[in-house]
Amino acid sequence: MKYIRTLLLLILCTTLQAYADEVPTIDPQATFTTDEGEETGTSYSGSAPLTVVFHANAENIGAYTPHYEWRFTKEGATQPYLVRYEEETEYTFTEAGSHRIVLYATFINGTDTVAYTKDYWQDAQPITIQISESKLEMPNAFSPNGDGINDVYRAKSNYQSIVEFDAYIFNRWGQKLYEWHNPAGGWDGKFNGKDVKQGVYFVLVKAKGADGRKYTIKKDVNLLRGYTETSGVNPTE
C-alpha cells in the first residue's frame, strides 16, 4: 500500500511538472541599433534617432493562442502613447525623455488562460529607454589636404539626438556648392568634383532635436588647404 501511494505521488509530481513546463512564458528583450552596431537587453541610454526591435521571446505556447500588446509610455504619463500588437515589433525613437515599454501577453487554450498583464508588471522589470537631449555644434574651419585629419567639414562629433538635419555650403557670391542631410555627413571641399580654392565660405544649418529644440546655425567656414598638425592652428575650433 505504501508502495502504491509513493508511486501515485511520483506520477502526480511528474504530471504537475510536465504541466508547468508547458505553461507559456515570456521574456521581453530589445535589440538596439546604434552607430556601434547592435546590442540586446532591457535598458538603453543614448541619442536619437534610435531604432529598436522588441522581441516577446514566448516559449511553451503549444496549443495556446497568443495575443500580444506592446505598450509604450513616457515617464509621468498614465496612458501609452503607442500600442503595437505583433509578437515582434520595431520602432524608432525620436523624442527625448524616459520611455517605458511593457508587453501584455495573453495565451488562451479553451477555458485555460495564462496572462502577463497589469498584475505581472507590478513586479516585473520593464524595458526602459532614455533618449538624451539634443546638442549640435558646427566648427569654424577644416583642412581638406588629404592627410586624413579633419579633411571633411561636418558637425562636431559631440552632436546628439538630432532627428532632422539640413546643411548647405555657399561661396562668397551666395552660390550653393554643396548640401547634406545627415549630421554624420559633410563637405569635402569640392564643387563639381574639383577642389575649391582656399578661403572663407559660408554654412547654413537648419536642424531639430529629439527634445523639440530647433537649430539655425549661420557661420563662416575657413577652408585651410595648407594646414598641418604642426602649424599651431586648430581648424575645428
Side-chain angles (χ1 to χ4, degrees):
M1 191 59 134
K2 182 177 180 181
Y3 172 77
I4 294 176
R5 286 199 300 268
T6 302
L7 181 59
L8 290 174
L9 181 60
L10 180 60
I11 293 173
L12 177 60
C13 290
T14 302
T15 302
L16 290 174
Q17 182 62 46
Y19 175 78
D21 290 342
E22 293 175 358
V23 172
T25 61
I26 59 171
D27 180 25
Q29 297 281 323
T31 299
F32 310 96
T33 302
T34 69
D35 293 338
E36 289 75 34
E38 292 186 350
E39 60 179 87
T40 299
T42 58
S43 66
Y44 185 84
S45 178
S47 178
L50 174 69
T51 299
V52 185
V53 178
F54 298 91
H55 315 271
N57 291 327
E59 295 185 351
N60 303 324
I61 296 178
Y64 287 84
T65 300
H67 300 275
Y68 302 103
E69 184 176 308
W70 294 95
R71 297 187 171 200
F72 297 68
T73 307
K74 289 286 292 289
E75 182 178 22
T78 57
Q79 296 296 323
Y81 64 84
L82 177 67
V83 177
R84 293 280 184 82
Y85 298 97
E86 304 93 350
E87 179 179 1
E88 181 177 291
T89 192
E90 179 179 311
Y91 183 69
T92 299
F93 292 85
T94 59
E95 292 188 14
S98 297
H99 302 255
R100 180 179 184 272
I101 300 91
V102 299
L103 172 63
Y104 278 22
T106 304
F107 302 89
I108 301 173
N109 183 9
T111 59
D112 186 19
T113 299
V114 178
Y116 300 92
T117 52
K118 183 176 180 180
D119 290 341
Y120 172 79
W121 289 105
Q122 294 294 329
D123 300 315
Q125 181 66 37
I127 296 172
T128 56
I129 296 173
Q130 178 70 40
I131 299 297
S132 60
E133 295 182 351
S134 66
K135 184 176 183 179
L136 179 65
E137 297 176 298
M138 302 298 293
N140 295 326
F142 74 122
S143 56
N145 54 18
D147 64 357
I149 301 173
N150 200 38
D151 283 333
V152 177
Y153 181 79
R154 54 165 57 98
K156 289 187 177 183
S157 59
N158 61 353
Y159 74 86
Q160 59 187 27
S161 290
I162 299 300
V163 296
E164 294 179 15
F165 181 90
D166 299 292
Y168 308 89
I169 296 290
F170 301 91
N171 62 19
R172 68 178 69 183
W173 298 282
Q175 180 185 17
K176 185 177 71 174
L177 305 181
Y178 190 75
E179 67 181 77
W180 69 103
H181 305 282
N182 186 320
W187 180 44
D188 62 1
K190 296 179 183 295
F191 177 60
N192 288 337
K194 298 181 179 181
D195 290 341
V196 301
K197 294 181 180 180
Q198 176 168 300
V200 179
Y201 295 84
F202 182 79
V203 65
L204 169 64
V205 177
K206 289 184 175 294
K208 181 180 178 181
D211 48 8
R213 180 179 176 184
K214 294 183 178 180
Y215 295 82
T216 300
I217 300 174
K218 303 175 182 179
K219 65 192 308 180
D220 290 340
V221 177
N222 293 283
L223 191 157
L224 308 172
R225 292 201 182 277
Y227 168 82
T228 63
E229 284 191 277
T230 59
S231 67
V233 178
N234 185 352
T236 63
E237 292 181 352

